[in-house]
């Protein structure tokens, strides 16, 4: 299983976008900084690239690999929502 430069660049761009959007989608005030959302998005999108290649969705194309992109977006969106949801619930009220 080989990660291409294009796959890594796509994962980083998708991760940054989904990480930023994840902050907007999760309701309420989050106690997480924006850079953490972006970092989670990038990590999850890279994981999505590896996952897409492992299950055989990612193929070598001359253009955009829509299957790999879809897996990246789904994994990154789930990760941002989970971490933001868990992080947002850890609040002590007095």
């Amino acid at each position: 299983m080989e990660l291409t430069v294009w796959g890594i660049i796509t994962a980083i761009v998708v991760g940054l976008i989904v990480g930023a959007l994840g902050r907007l989608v999760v309701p309420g005030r989050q106690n997480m900084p924006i850079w953490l959302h972006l970092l989670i998005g990038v990590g999850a999108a890279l994981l999505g690239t590896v996952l897409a290649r492992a299950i055989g969705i990612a193929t070598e194309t001359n253009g955009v690999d829509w299957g790999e992109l879809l897996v990246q977006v789904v994994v990154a969106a789930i990760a941002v929502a989970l971490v933001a949801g868990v992080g947002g619930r850890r609040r002590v009220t007095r």
Side-chain angles (χ1 to χ4, degrees):
M1 177 171 45
E2 175 183 321
L3 288 179
T4 63
V5 173
W6 181 247
I8 293 171
I9 292 171
T10 303
I12 291 171
V13 171
V14 167
L16 290 173
I17 293 169
V18 172
L21 290 176
R23 184 171 179 96
L24 297 174
V25 171
V26 177
R29 184 173 186 268
Q30 290 104 36
N31 294 329
M32 294 172 44
I34 186 69
W35 64 265
L36 186 55
H37 282 272
L38 298 176
L39 186 66
I40 291 166
V42 169
L46 286 170
L47 178 64
T49 298
V50 172
L51 183 63
R53 296 209 182 264
I55 60 178
I57 291 177
T59 59
E60 298 300 322
T61 61
N62 292 331
V64 176
D65 188 353
W66 295 107
E68 181 179 355
L69 185 62
L70 179 66
V71 172
Q72 288 175 339
V73 169
V74 168
V75 170
I78 290 170
V80 168
L82 284 175
V83 173
V86 169
R89 295 176 206 268
R90 290 185 178 179
R91 213 164 45 178
V92 177
T93 56
R94 295 181 185 196

